[in-house]
Amino acid sequence: MADVKGSKPYTVVLDWGYDWWESGAAEVRATMGGDDDPQVFHVWADDACDASDFSDDMAAERFGETVAQYLKHVAILHGHAPLVRDGE
């Protein structure tokens, strides 16, 4: 990860690709983790490209490489924006 000094905060939103819902991924969903919600990562980076890379690394740490490959980038936002949950 980039040195925080001189870096900027980013929020990266990843969501599950269409193949996450295919029958071939059912065993992965059931046995290796992951869920149905979009995944939000708060990172410090020099630019949006680095923020994207850092979020990929964090997804692999959270879910493992096999599950993380089903996550696709949806948005990269300036700042650290929390995801609003149902009912909030």
Side-chain angles (χ1 to χ4, degrees), residues 2 25 34 37 50 58 65 69 75 80-81 85-86:
D37 294 329
D50 286 346
M58 293 170 75
E65 290 286 336
Q69 71 182 349
H80 286 164
R85 299 284 181 191
D86 288 342

Side-chain angles (χ1 to χ4, degrees), residues 18-80:
Y18 72 91
D19 49 349
W20 180 244
W21 309 107
E22 299 287 323
S23 62
E27 185 175 339
V28 175
R29 287 194 311 272
T31 62
M32 300 186 78
D35 58 34
D36 298 342
D37 294 329
Q39 301 301 308
V40 177
F41 297 93
H42 296 121
V43 300
W44 287 89
D46 294 330
D47 54 47
C49 184
D50 286 346
S52 173
D53 292 343
F54 295 150
S55 69
D56 290 340
D57 294 342
M58 293 170 75
E61 287 177 22
R62 183 181 294 176
F63 297 110
E65 290 286 336
T66 301
V67 174
Q69 71 182 349
Y70 290 99
L71 286 167
K72 309 300 182 212
H73 291 87
V74 174
I76 300 174
L77 309 170
H78 290 284
H80 286 164

